[in-house]
Amino acid sequence: MSLNSIIQYFVPKDRKFFPLFEKASRNLISLGEALNELVNTTDLERRKELTKKIEDLEHVGDDITHLIFLEMGKNFITPFDREDMHALASALDDIADYIHGSAARMDLYKITDITPPIKKLAELILQGCIDVNKAVEELKNLKNIRLITDSCVRINSMENQADYVFDRAVADLFEFEDDAKTIIKYKELFAAMETATDKCEDVANVLETILVKNA
């Protein structure tokens, strides 16, 4: 191994890790936007296109996560604790997985009647993705801690709203829907969408841990 290679091994790869995290969080916004368009269109062909787009974007997220883990294995020094980097990458990937899972359930269960709770949950997911991206983009400059904490507060508030929407939607489902298959389909969709908001909160929790360790 050359001297230059040895030196590069010990140099923090901020120029690699932060852009990858930012790319992952921006990809989440694209996923959230596609999900919102999906639940707000009545064009069945367009829905198919958007479902495929969400699947493709989820694969993009998987590739970014793989690159982050690959870089962690190649570099001795990282911008912050490896445990936190792994947790952050995994939490970002989980959001993408559950957005994709929500779209897939709509397609597989042939859910064409998009109810207000579905639209509201999609809106909250996008809101969470936007705030996740805002916080992640500030990681490279930990002097702006307030901007990160403000985003985390908004994410937590969003997740609380999603919990309420989910609980109310399930309660209404049991009260007003008699068909057991329909209840199961919608409940599973609600659960997948609500879990996507939980994963946004997981990102916020990881970010807060990073802030405490680097205070």
Side-chain angles (χ1 to χ4, degrees):
M1 182 181 288
S2 69
L3 178 60
N4 186 57
S5 297
I6 295 173
I7 293 172
Q8 288 300 312
Y9 182 76
F10 286 96
V11 173
K13 297 297 187 291
D14 296 6
R15 286 175 295 180
K16 286 190 176 181
F17 287 113
F18 290 129
L20 284 172
F21 280 120
E22 290 167 12
K23 191 174 180 182
S25 63
R26 285 195 299 270
N27 189 58
L28 292 178
I29 294 179
S30 297
L31 277 159
E33 289 173 342
L35 182 65
N36 265 266
E37 187 179 348
L38 174 62
V39 302
N40 283 288
T41 183
T42 57
D43 185 331
L44 296 182
E45 278 304 311
R46 182 58 182 154
R47 281 186 185 176
K48 288 182 181 178
E49 292 171 3
L50 288 164
T51 300
K52 180 62 169 62
K53 179 179 180 180
I54 288 170
E55 181 181 1
D56 291 342
L57 288 169
E58 192 272 335
H59 292 324
V60 170
D62 284 341
D63 290 342
I64 298 169
T65 304
H66 176 71
L67 283 173
I68 292 172
F69 291 155
L70 194 62
E71 288 298 328
M72 285 174 62
K74 288 165 56 179
N75 295 285
F76 181 74
I77 298 177
T78 55
F80 42 91
D81 285 357
R82 289 175 180 274
E83 179 183 351
D84 296 329
M85 291 185 67
H86 189 282
L88 180 57
S90 297
L92 291 169
D93 188 57
D94 285 344
I95 299 172
D97 287 344
Y98 278 96
I99 292 176
H100 173 233
S102 300
R105 281 169 174 79
M106 278 185 263
D107 182 47
L108 290 170
Y109 300 160
K110 296 179 172 55
I111 295 176
T112 55
D113 181 16
I114 307 299
T115 61
I118 295 173
K119 292 183 179 181
K120 184 60 180 178
L121 286 169
E123 177 188 322
L124 290 170
I125 289 169
L126 176 56
Q127 179 186 323
C129 291
I130 291 170
D131 279 313
V132 162
N133 180 64
K134 286 180 180 177
V136 169
E137 288 191 337
E138 292 300 328
L139 265 183
K140 61 180 175 289
N141 182 14
L142 287 176
K143 292 179 181 178
N144 294 326
I145 289 176
R146 183 58 183 271
L147 295 176
I148 298 176
T149 55
D150 285 350
S151 292
C152 290
V153 168
R154 288 193 297 271
I155 291 168
N156 290 330
S157 175
M158 175 278 301
E159 195 276 333
N160 288 334
Q161 291 180 62
D163 281 346
Y164 174 79
V165 173
F166 171 78
D167 290 340
R168 184 72 263 170
V170 172
D172 288 345
L173 200 56
F174 285 128
E175 184 172 357
F176 300 115
E177 181 57 58
D178 295 323
D179 183 71
K181 287 183 180 180
T182 299
I183 290 173
I184 292 170
K185 288 178 181 180
Y186 276 87
K187 188 173 183 297
E188 286 213 9
L189 174 57
F190 294 152
M193 297 182 79
E194 193 276 332
T195 303
T197 68
D198 287 343
K199 297 305 178 181
C200 289
E201 187 174 43
D202 287 349
V203 170
N205 292 338
V206 175
L207 292 171
E208 288 171 343
T209 297
I210 292 170
L211 291 183
V212 169
K213 289 183 179 179
N214 289 274

